[in-house]
Amino acid sequence: MKRKGRSCDNQDAVNRGPWSAEEDQILINYVQVHGEGNWRELSKRAGLKRLGKSCRLRWLNYLKPDIKRGNISSDEEDLIIRLHSLLGNRWSLIAGRLPGRTDHEIKNYWNTYLRKKVEQNHNYNNLPGHNNIPIKLRIESPRCSKNSLGIVIDPTKSSHPVTIKSMSCTEVMMPTRTVNDFTTSWDKNPFASTPQDGHGHCSEGFLKHFDISDVLMPYEDCRFNEYACVEVPQHFGDEAYKVIDAVGETRYDNWKIDDYFPLDYDVGFSLF
DNA sequence: AACGGGTGCAACCGCAAACGA
DNA sequence: TTCGTTTGCGGTTGCACCCGT
């Protein structure tokens, strides 16, 4: 890849390379007066010998006033790690959950620092089977009054507890089973005693803890690119469900009980 | 002081989606 | 619907800086 401080190719003295303070000021002044957008035209009108694309990048990642740069806090770091494990390299989505941070900065921070840190983290890199897979999944059911069911598996707890949060569901599903064992009957699900209100609805924000080994069967190296199955009670029949990931994005609109979820960060089951 | 390898950051590239005529 | 343009995104790379030898 060629990149020089000043281009000497035929593009009529288009500046490349690092921005000067003067160029920055021109861009800031112009955007303050005329606003963002139409970057190619903006570049011309502002008298910047830069490609429009370059102006956009410079503004969005460095010059925009509400941008926070540097000093990423441990909380932010933690959030980035969890979101990355959930979303993969979808930097814009990750940045969208860190106010003031840009995808650009997060990407760089990840590539230069966090990735190594995470790779060195034994807990992350040495997940023995399912036990340490943190999962957050929500299934929307047409039978639920508020259409939601959430499951969080927290690997930081020594006993691998699972937290279930059910919000106003008329019925609670047990959503996590791995593919190689379908023998455990639904009746064993720990939600049989889910508290309900007088109208047959589960109480808002209901939480229940139980051991993950009760609900997840061991599956050899069940990590990325493996498959897991979500099992629901028989009486849910062939209805289609909506599957939403931990950040609220719809993954499947018409998920059926026999469908599988790839265990990677593109769908419902994800590290987080 | 000189050199070389490692690191971090900013800028660029290619591609695809979104937009608008 | 088509097609050109703009925008957004993620990956890659150039280069300055640091540090050890």
Side-chain angles (χ1 to χ4, degrees):
Chain A
M1 175 184 177
K2 278 189 285 183
R3 189 153 52 81
K4 295 188 177 171
R6 292 287 181 273
S7 169
C8 47
D9 39 22
N10 53 4
Q11 303 167 3
D12 258 5
V14 171
N15 285 355
R16 292 172 185 266
W19 280 63
S20 67
E22 189 186 353
E23 287 177 306
D24 281 349
Q25 200 53 54
I26 292 171
L27 181 56
I28 290 168
N29 292 343
Y30 190 91
V31 173
Q32 279 174 349
V33 173
H34 299 95
E36 300 173 31
N38 201 351
W39 296 101
R40 197 163 69 166
E41 194 63 23
L42 179 154
S43 178
K44 273 191 226 163
R45 289 179 186 274
L48 286 163
K49 290 173 177 161
R50 294 275 180 174
L51 298 175
K53 208 170 176 175
S54 178
C55 294
R56 176 186 167 272
L57 190 78
R58 185 69 186 166
W59 173 256
L60 292 178
N61 289 318
Y62 303 96
L63 302 178
K64 209 174 172 180
D66 51 354
I67 283 175
K68 276 196 283 183
R69 301 202 54 229
N71 299 322
I72 292 181
S73 69
S74 56
D75 283 349
E76 288 177 306
E77 201 174 275
D78 181 59
L79 184 57
I80 292 169
I81 291 170
R82 288 191 293 123
L83 286 169
H84 183 271
S85 66
L86 172 68
L87 300 166
N89 293 354
R90 283 183 269 188
W91 306 114
S92 61
L93 276 178
I94 294 172
R97 289 164 176 85
L98 287 140
R101 300 293 182 185
T102 66
D103 56 342
H104 188 75
E105 180 173 29
I106 291 168
K107 178 176 63 179
N108 279 334
Y109 192 66
W110 176 268
N111 285 332
T112 58
Y113 174 65
L114 276 186
R115 180 169 54 191
K116 293 164 199 159
K117 183 179 175 180
V118 166
E119 281 169 0
Q120 283 166 5
N121 184 332
H122 183 264
N123 287 336
Y124 180 95
N125 209 28
N126 189 26
L127 301 172
H130 67 279
N131 279 353
N132 288 336
I133 300 174
I135 295 175
K136 187 169 186 177
L137 171 70
R138 194 171 74 192
I139 298 174
E140 290 195 351
S141 158
R143 293 210 181 182
C144 290
S145 59
K146 274 201 168 177
N147 297 335
S148 56
L149 170 65
I151 173 169
V152 179
I153 298 175
D154 181 355
T156 64
K157 307 277 175 59
S158 57
S159 60
H160 310 301
V162 175
T163 299
I164 293 291
K165 185 172 185 176
S166 148
M167 294 175 289
S168 296
C169 290
T170 54
E171 295 171 81
V172 178
M173 298 173 285
M174 183 58 255
T176 49
R177 295 291 306 284
T178 51
V179 287
N180 64 340
D181 189 323
F182 294 98
T183 57
T184 306
S185 85
W186 178 258
D187 292 336
K188 285 187 182 175
N189 98 67
F191 305 109
S193 61
T194 299
Q196 298 184 346
D197 63 27
H199 307 289
H201 293 170
C202 303
S203 55
E204 190 82 31
F206 165 65
L207 292 169
K208 184 168 179 114
H209 296 269
F210 58 94
D211 195 288
I212 187 172
S213 58
D214 290 342
V215 293
L216 268 182
M217 292 297 140
Y219 185 53
E220 231 178 65
D221 201 22
C222 183
R223 288 163 59 185
F224 298 121
N225 303 318
E226 300 293 350
Y227 287 81
C229 178
V230 172
E231 187 179 349
V232 297
Q234 203 65 47
H235 58 262
F236 272 75
D238 293 330
E239 293 170 19
Y241 300 93
K242 181 183 268 189
V243 176
I244 297 173
D245 70 17
V247 295
E249 295 193 353
T250 299
R251 294 304 184 187
Y252 293 109
D253 264 328
N254 295 297
W255 177 82
K256 301 284 184 62
I257 60 171
D258 291 330
D259 293 343
Y260 293 105
F261 293 111
L263 262 182
D264 62 28
Y265 29 65
D266 283 326
V267 288
F269 283 18
S270 302
L271 290 165
F272 86 106

